[in-house]
């Protein structure tokens, strides 16, 4: 693994290695074990979009490993005033040991990786959110003790989070069913990759329009916001399009009795999920949020050590 731009950058074996390191780091973190695995290393963190979890989990994560994180709002660096990604990549590679970037176009992240000489970590683009999907699998493993023979059901927008979940589940061998309105289906090219990976790993992938049909027998229920960062202008039409795509008690009732509920957060109670579900017994969303830090620490060690 040289970069983490999408789930294509990791093999199944590397995913398992990341998880076993994350598990160890999590356990040691609870015992206040101090690490120097990335002593003296610097991670640049470029943000062109807002963030709570990604920013804080990466910054505390690198600090706990003995290194430092440098927050770079794209508005404050010359990138926001038109300096090219190419030049930015070359310059930052002279100072830093790795870059985490959250931005709009996925091609910008690819360009950064192409022209820089240090590892690049995708902290979310319009198309993918691989750190989230890896954390989600890790969290599922903690609760279910397995990753295959499970059915994940994602209800809502066929967005960046849905794309990375499609790739993560099919790579690892988990079944995934996505329920989304026809106009908001996942990107066809990404879906085709997921279908190929599903054939290779022996898992099932389907995209349907009926949330209750999808949710039958689910082991994991997952949803995300109806309007992602960048979709603000479409808020009203999306509220109309997604009004039947909510994880609520009716949906939870057709899932397995021991199903868990996941959400990448931030959540909008009363829209994609009801308060009784996200604040209920089956929800593991805050453990999931915590795990971002442990999993990303493992990713940084793998890429930057
Ligand atoms: N889930 C997630 O990436 O959250 P933030 O937008 O707060 O980073
Ligand atoms: N799909 C959401 C995820 C936020 C973590 C967005 O892109 O805004």
């Amino acid at each position: 693994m040289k970069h983490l731009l999408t789930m294509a950058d990791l093999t199944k074996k590397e995913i398992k290695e990341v998880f076993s390191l994350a598990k160890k780091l999590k356990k040691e973190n609870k015992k206040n074990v101090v690490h120097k695995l990335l002593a003296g290393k610097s991670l640049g963190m470029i943000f062109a979009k807002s963030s709570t979890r990604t920013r804080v989990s990466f910054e505390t994560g690198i600090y706990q490993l003995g290194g430092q994180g440098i927050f770079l709002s794209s508005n404050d660096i010359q990138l926001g005033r038109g300096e090219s990604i190419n030049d930015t990549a070359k310059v930052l590679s002279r100072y830093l040991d790795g870059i985490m970037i959250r931005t709009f176009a996925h091609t910008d992240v690819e360009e950064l990786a192409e022209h820089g000489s240090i590892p690049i970590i995708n902290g979310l683009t319009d198309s993918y959110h691989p750190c989230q999907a890896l954390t989600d699998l890790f969290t599922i493993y903690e609760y279910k003790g397995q990753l295959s023979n499970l059915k994940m059901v994602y209800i809502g927008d066929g967005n960046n989070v849905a794309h990375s979940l499609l790739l993560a589940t099919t790579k690892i061998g988990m079944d995934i069913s996505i329920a989304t309105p026809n106009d908001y289906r996942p990107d066809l090219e990404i879906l085709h990759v997921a279908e190929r990976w599903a054939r290779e790993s022996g898992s099932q992938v389907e995209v349907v329009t009926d949330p209750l049909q999808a949710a039958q027998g689910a082991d994991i229920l997952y949803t995300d916001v109806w309007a992602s960062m960048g979709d603000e202008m479409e808020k009203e039409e999306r509220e109309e399009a997604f009004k039947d795509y909510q994880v609520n008690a009716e949906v939870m009732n057709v899932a397995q009795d021991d199903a868990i509920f996941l959400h990448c957060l931030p959540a909008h109670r009363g829209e994609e999920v009801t308060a009784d579900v996200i604040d209920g017994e089956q929800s593991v969303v805050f453990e999931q949020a915590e795990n971002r830090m442990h999993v990303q620490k493992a990713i940084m060690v793998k890429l930057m050590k």
Side-chain angles (χ1 to χ4, degrees):
M1 184 173 45
K2 267 175 68 189
H3 301 287
L4 177 57
L5 306 192
T6 75
M7 291 302 300
D9 290 310
L10 292 134
T11 60
K12 203 169 159 174
K13 183 169 165 269
E14 284 169 328
I15 295 175
K16 295 205 166 142
E17 285 167 10
V18 166
F19 288 176
S20 82
L21 181 57
K23 186 178 170 185
K24 178 175 174 283
L25 291 171
K26 181 173 182 178
K27 212 166 136 192
E28 289 173 350
N29 177 259
K30 305 281 174 203
K31 294 186 190 152
N32 296 319
V33 175
V34 176
H35 280 289
K36 291 286 166 228
L37 287 165
L38 294 180
K41 306 259 180 179
S42 298
L43 177 78
M45 309 191 307
I46 302 175
F47 282 90
K49 289 177 174 172
S50 306
S51 170
T52 298
R53 281 142 289 270
T54 305
R55 177 176 175 180
V56 180
S57 58
F58 266 106
E59 195 161 338
T60 40
I62 182 97
Y63 175 73
Q64 287 175 12
L65 293 166
Q68 66 163 347
I70 304 174
F71 175 71
L72 303 166
S73 158
S74 63
N75 291 327
D76 299 335
I77 57 174
Q78 299 288 7
L79 190 61
R81 293 182 60 247
E83 185 168 17
S84 70
I85 295 189
N86 188 327
D87 287 355
T88 304
K90 286 178 180 147
V91 172
L92 292 183
S93 295
R94 304 274 176 140
Y95 308 133
L96 301 168
D97 303 287
I99 295 174
M100 182 252 107
I101 176 166
R102 164 169 291 197
T103 193
F104 294 86
H106 187 72
T107 47
D108 287 355
V109 180
E110 289 173 338
E111 212 182 318
L112 201 59
E114 190 187 329
H115 297 289
S117 54
I118 53 176
I120 306 298
I121 301 171
N122 176 359
L124 180 147
T125 61
D126 288 346
S127 311
Y128 301 101
H129 198 359
C131 294
Q132 183 68 55
L134 279 169
T135 302
D136 301 336
L137 291 186
F138 179 80
T139 307
I140 292 164
Y141 191 74
E142 280 189 331
Y143 282 89
K144 297 287 176 192
Q146 64 194 69
L147 288 170
S148 45
N149 297 318
L150 290 174
K151 179 183 181 186
M152 176 185 289
V153 174
Y154 174 98
I155 294 175
D157 189 15
N159 61 15
N160 44 11
V161 169
H163 289 155
S164 286
L165 287 173
L166 265 172
L167 297 178
T169 50
T170 53
K171 177 161 271 190
I172 209 77
M174 186 183 294
D175 295 342
I176 183 162
S177 179
I178 294 196
T180 191
N182 266 326
D183 290 345
Y184 297 91
R185 286 169 63 92
D187 177 88
L188 205 55
E189 261 182 52
I190 298 172
L191 183 61
H192 287 328
V193 174
E195 283 167 349
R196 178 158 52 81
W197 289 4
R199 281 194 295 277
E200 286 164 15
S201 71
S203 66
Q204 305 282 326
V205 48
E206 64 168 9
V207 180
V208 299
T209 51
D210 181 355
L212 281 176
Q213 180 196 335
Q216 295 289 333
D219 298 291
I220 302 111
L221 264 312
Y222 201 120
T223 187
D224 184 15
V225 290
W226 290 342
S228 285
M229 291 179 278
D231 294 335
E232 290 79 8
M233 301 285 282
E234 298 172 12
K235 196 173 179 299
E236 273 173 30
E237 63 184 271
R238 282 172 171 268
E239 274 170 13
E240 181 57 28
F242 286 107
K243 63 181 190 315
D244 297 326
Y245 293 80
Q246 182 188 62
V247 180
N248 51 32
E250 193 188 0
V251 169
M252 293 303 285
N253 273 338
V254 300
Q256 298 284 0
D257 291 341
D258 63 353
I260 54 171
F261 172 75
L262 296 179
H263 190 311
C264 57
L265 304 178
H268 292 83
R269 288 169 176 76
E271 293 185 18
E272 75 275 5
V273 60
T274 52
D276 58 319
V277 170
I278 193 167
D279 300 317
E281 278 183 358
Q282 286 165 276
S283 171
V284 300
V285 297
F286 297 112
E287 198 68 25
Q288 179 189 8
E290 178 188 321
N291 284 338
R292 288 289 301 280
M293 184 175 77
H294 306 301
V295 170
Q296 289 161 190
K297 280 169 76 177
I299 292 166
M300 287 190 282
V301 171
K302 289 273 178 211
L303 287 172
M304 292 167 61
K305 196 164 179 287

